[in-house]
Amino acid sequence: MRDESLHDRLAACERRVATLQRALGVSLAVVALISLLGVMGLVNRAAVPNSILQDVVDSLRVRELIVVDDSGTVRARVGANLPDAMIRGRRVPRGDKVAGVMLYDGEGVERGGYVTFDRSGLVAISLDNRGNQAALFAADSTPVSGGTARLWRNKEWVEMKADQTGPRFSAGRNGSIIFMQPTMSAQDAATMCSELKSEVAQIRPAPPNSKVLEWCRPHATDGECRKCVGSSKL
């Protein structure tokens, strides 16, 4: 009887220790998330009960933190490998590994984020409406590549860019550039055309010229695009 009683007491102690460990883990995660969101300006630390902020730790090492609202809907996600976007219930691959912070609305729709892309080296802040990106502020990984700021709705946009070719402002309507200042130099046009041909050469079956023109027009004037597409059998 004494052995069984000792065994029962040890088992009870182990269960209490496990419970405390889980509770401590949750507390640390909450404190770290509140601290992170406070730095980002998303949470007013003064409104958080002192009982939560008392258990402060110097460092918390995790791969992902997920914030949900009262209904269980994910409203924010901080992660080293964020999932693909969900648009109108459909999974849309990002095409690159992404790390950072993503924000979601009350329906769980992705509405923007602050992320880095592994392969391209791009860092970007995006703002989305329900279905499409509407604003983007991005910087490349190299000093000469500069940055881009872009606002758009459907096939209309305005864009400011500063890179190795210098500053540039452009606007588009119906999927085509209608204004660019300064205008594209002959060297820039040749580079654009070369890159376009390289991309199109990988597509089988080869697309018609009308489709290639459609792809080109958001990046160069109609005249430059027609000159490029007409200069080679794409």
Side-chain angles (χ1 to χ4, degrees):
M1 293 294 293
R2 288 194 300 272
D3 291 341
E4 292 179 357
S5 177
L6 178 59
H7 176 77
D8 292 340
R9 290 200 298 272
L10 288 175
C13 288
E14 290 176 353
R15 288 194 295 270
R16 285 197 293 271
V17 169
T19 299
L20 289 172
Q21 288 176 333
R22 288 193 296 270
L24 178 59
V26 171
S27 298
L28 293 179
V30 170
V31 171
L33 182 57
I34 289 173
S35 299
L36 175 62
L37 296 180
V39 171
M40 296 172 62
L42 299 178
V43 168
N44 181 4
R45 289 177 61 90
V48 179
N50 290 332
S51 59
I52 294 179
L53 295 177
Q54 285 175 355
D55 298 327
V56 177
V57 296
D58 292 332
S59 178
L60 183 65
R61 188 180 180 89
V62 299
R63 287 193 174 88
E64 185 175 55
L65 292 173
I66 300 175
V67 182
V68 299
D69 60 19
D70 292 340
S71 65
T73 301
V74 175
R75 302 303 300 273
R77 189 188 299 264
V78 183
N81 189 6
L82 294 169
D84 290 330
M86 292 296 294
I87 298 178
R88 300 186 183 95
R90 182 171 58 91
R91 177 175 171 270
V92 180
R94 300 186 191 278
D96 198 350
K97 184 178 179 181
V98 176
V101 181
M102 299 302 301
L103 303 177
Y104 306 84
D105 65 16
E107 296 183 8
V109 178
E110 184 178 310
R111 299 301 300 275
Y114 180 23
V115 300
T116 58
F117 295 82
D118 279 13
R119 187 170 61 252
S120 66
L122 196 72
V123 58
I125 298 174
S126 68
L127 301 176
D128 309 344
N129 53 41
R130 289 184 176 175
N132 298 289
Q133 267 190 344
L136 178 70
F137 182 62
D140 212 329
S141 59
T142 61
V144 297
S145 298
T148 300
R150 182 181 177 97
L151 301 172
W152 69 94
R153 182 183 69 88
N154 296 328
K155 293 184 178 182
E156 299 180 347
W157 73 87
V158 291
E159 181 179 270
M160 294 184 294
K161 179 177 287 189
D163 55 22
Q164 64 268 34
T165 64
R168 177 171 293 144
F169 177 84
S170 65
R173 181 175 296 156
N174 295 326
S176 300
I177 286 181
I178 59 173
F179 175 83
M180 180 182 287
Q181 185 63 38
T183 57
M184 185 175 287
S185 67
Q187 181 179 355
D188 292 341
T191 299
M192 180 279 301
C193 186
S194 176
E195 292 175 351
L196 177 65
K197 291 178 182 178
S198 176
E199 292 292 330
V200 173
Q202 301 177 42
I203 302 174
R204 291 293 181 271
N209 283 2
S210 60
K211 179 57 70 174
V212 179
L213 281 171
E214 181 181 333
W215 293 335
C216 177
R217 284 172 177 149
H219 308 286
T221 63
D222 181 71
E224 293 293 350
C225 288
R226 289 184 179 275
K227 179 181 178 180
C228 176
V229 173
S231 65
S232 176
K233 293 182 180 180
L234 295 175

